[in-house]
Amino acid sequence: MDVVLEIFDTFIFDRLYAVLLPTSSITFTRNTVKDAATSTFSSMREMPTALSHASRFLQLEPSHFAYMSAWSRDNIWRQLLSLYLITWLFGSLVYFIFASLSYFLVFDHATFTHPKYLKNQVRLEIAQTLKALPLMAVLTVPFFFAEIKGYAKLYDAPAEAPFALYNILQFPLFILFTDFFVYWIHRGLHHPCMYKTFHKPHHKWIMPTPFASHAFHPIDGWAQSVPYHVFPFLFPLQKFAYIFLFVTINVWTIAIHDGEYVSNSPIINGAACHTMHHLYFNYNYGQFTTLWDRLGGSYRAPNIELFSRESKMSKSEWERQTTEMEKVQKSVEGDDDRKYGVEVQKISKKVQ
């Protein structure tokens, strides 16, 4: 996260803090008097205190704004606030960009006519996400703060890895570690004492759209993200691999809610497997693979009808899904308080 923080400091936060919390004239004079004889402030190339770079592979030149705030880059309160804004606002931006791309380019809008699609569902999914992300950011910032303070095992150059092959092995290790713990956290959230309070808000969406990907109760969303944040404190992880993996996680989370059933793999827990989870509640808790569901006895193979557009959108398949879903939903939740609404007017073709 120190690499990301340096990028945001250079292009956004240095100027923002310089404007909102400018340094006092006394401090300004003390820090610049030694350079006054040879250069004006606007043309100075050397600043009072050299700023270190987070990575040798990305060394951004700080502007003069980096030295014009009472809160310097290493100020604890500035770091905490900056990390919060990055986690919340940048996280929201990633969500809207990739969920929108998936919604308009991948998601099948014929799903609007499914009997378990909710009235105004997309609007509700986005509203739930926007309520959840600010608190999820508060809970996540301590992990990021500990990282930039050097407590994690993040490394910069590939030569700093425990051994050369580790630069490749870190990726499957990350997937296996996080998939295992997300599985058990997710399954735990389905326990009756946890489900209705923390996880039911995400299961409001029986037929989710990509915008449902982050539509959690904030405690639920944060809890399922904990393994991703714990990993670099236990295992070495290259800094740019870390950034890549976190973007990938968010894109994958959107992809398994897009309703496009490309993969019928017995190993990959793709959109078809996750649709089974939203429809029938007690199956397919894994995030990336079916491994832990198989070992934990909670795996359910996707209905074969999902892999043909004609059959997955057929009235008979939807009726079969609805009948079974209502039985499971009754046993898990009791009375159904969802408000369904078939929005046939939003698509031009009828389901056969």
Side-chain angles (χ1 to χ4, degrees):
M1 185 52 70
D2 55 354
V3 173
V4 176
L5 184 58
E6 182 178 341
I7 294 171
F8 274 83
D9 274 337
T10 303
F11 294 106
I12 299 175
F13 291 141
D14 284 341
R15 183 166 190 152
L16 180 66
Y17 288 113
V19 172
L20 297 180
L21 292 166
T23 187
S24 67
S25 57
I26 296 175
T27 305
F28 176 87
T29 302
R30 184 185 301 122
N31 287 339
T32 59
V33 67
K34 62 181 180 181
D35 299 298
T38 57
S39 63
T40 63
F41 185 82
S42 61
S43 64
M44 283 192 296
R45 293 184 180 179
E46 293 185 5
M47 291 299 176
T49 304
L51 295 174
S52 60
H53 296 289
S55 171
R56 71 189 68 182
F57 303 113
L58 184 69
Q59 299 191 8
L60 301 172
E61 187 67 27
S63 70
H64 62 276
F65 291 111
Y67 307 90
M68 293 178 62
S69 174
W71 279 10
S72 62
R73 285 190 180 185
D74 60 356
N75 180 280
I76 290 175
W77 302 112
R78 168 172 167 164
Q79 290 175 335
L80 288 169
L81 179 57
S82 298
L83 290 170
Y84 174 75
L85 292 174
I86 292 170
T87 307
W88 172 30
L89 299 179
F90 184 65
S92 299
L93 182 63
V94 170
Y95 162 75
F96 276 112
I97 289 174
F98 288 103
S100 297
L101 288 172
S102 179
Y103 179 78
F104 289 109
L105 301 179
V106 179
F107 177 70
D108 193 332
H109 291 70
T111 305
F112 290 150
T113 62
H114 194 285
K116 293 302 177 182
Y117 185 83
L118 304 186
K119 183 178 181 180
N120 301 319
Q121 181 168 313
V122 169
R123 188 187 308 168
L124 293 171
E125 289 169 341
I126 293 173
Q128 178 65 39
T129 301
L130 293 180
K131 286 193 295 184
L133 287 178
L135 182 54
M136 287 170 62
V138 170
L139 299 171
T140 301
V141 163
F143 290 108
F144 291 150
F145 184 69
E147 287 170 15
I148 67 170
K149 290 303 182 184
Y151 294 103
K153 296 184 177 182
L154 294 167
Y155 65 93
D156 190 28
E160 298 170 6
F163 50 92
L165 188 58
Y166 187 83
N167 289 297
I168 297 173
L169 294 179
Q170 63 183 325
F171 295 100
L173 178 61
F174 180 89
I175 296 298
L176 287 171
F177 176 90
T178 57
D179 199 39
F180 172 78
F181 284 102
V182 169
Y183 170 82
W184 286 108
I185 291 169
H186 189 181
R187 186 164 184 167
L189 285 161
H190 276 260
H191 190 279
C193 70
M194 303 287 287
Y195 177 80
K196 287 190 177 180
T197 301
F198 297 113
H199 197 51
K200 185 179 176 182
H202 187 63
H203 271 276
K204 184 174 185 177
W205 333 110
I206 303 299
M207 293 300 296
T209 80
F211 291 105
S213 57
H214 293 65
F216 292 96
H217 184 288
I219 302 297
D220 177 8
W222 172 79
Q224 294 194 60
S225 75
V226 166
Y228 307 124
H229 301 299
V230 168
F231 182 89
F233 291 92
L234 300 178
F235 302 97
L237 187 62
Q238 201 277 332
K239 290 183 177 182
F240 289 96
Y242 170 83
I243 296 170
F244 168 77
L245 285 167
F246 268 85
V247 173
T248 302
I249 289 162
N250 281 278
V251 174
W252 178 261
T253 302
I254 291 166
I256 61 176
H257 291 86
D258 66 13
E260 188 59 31
Y261 312 123
V262 176
S263 173
N264 190 15
S265 168
I267 299 172
I268 299 172
N269 186 27
C273 281
H274 201 65
T275 291
M276 293 293 99
H277 179 71
H278 275 267
L279 275 170
Y280 307 126
F281 297 84
N282 298 323
Y283 305 94
N284 301 348
Y285 299 108
Q287 179 75 351
F288 302 112
T289 75
T290 64
L291 173 62
W292 308 115
D293 279 296
R294 290 177 182 277
L295 294 175
S298 55
Y299 175 69
R300 173 166 175 164
N303 298 347
I304 195 65
E305 290 80 5
L306 296 181
F307 299 97
S308 163
R309 191 181 188 284
E310 291 71 24
S311 59
K312 82 172 183 179
M313 293 295 178
S314 69
K315 184 176 179 181
S316 60
E317 173 62 13
W318 284 1
E319 287 177 349
R320 183 162 74 92
Q321 291 174 0
T322 299
T323 300
E324 184 177 357
M325 171 265 160
E326 288 177 346
K327 291 178 182 177
V328 179
Q329 181 274 322
K330 185 74 173 177
S331 66
V332 172
E333 298 181 342
D335 293 335
D336 192 354
D337 57 2
R338 297 170 182 81
K339 295 181 180 179
Y340 301 101
V342 180
E343 300 177 291
V344 213
Q345 70 276 15
K346 291 190 176 180
I347 58 173
S348 57
K349 50 190 176 182
K350 295 181 181 179
V351 178
Q352 300 300 318

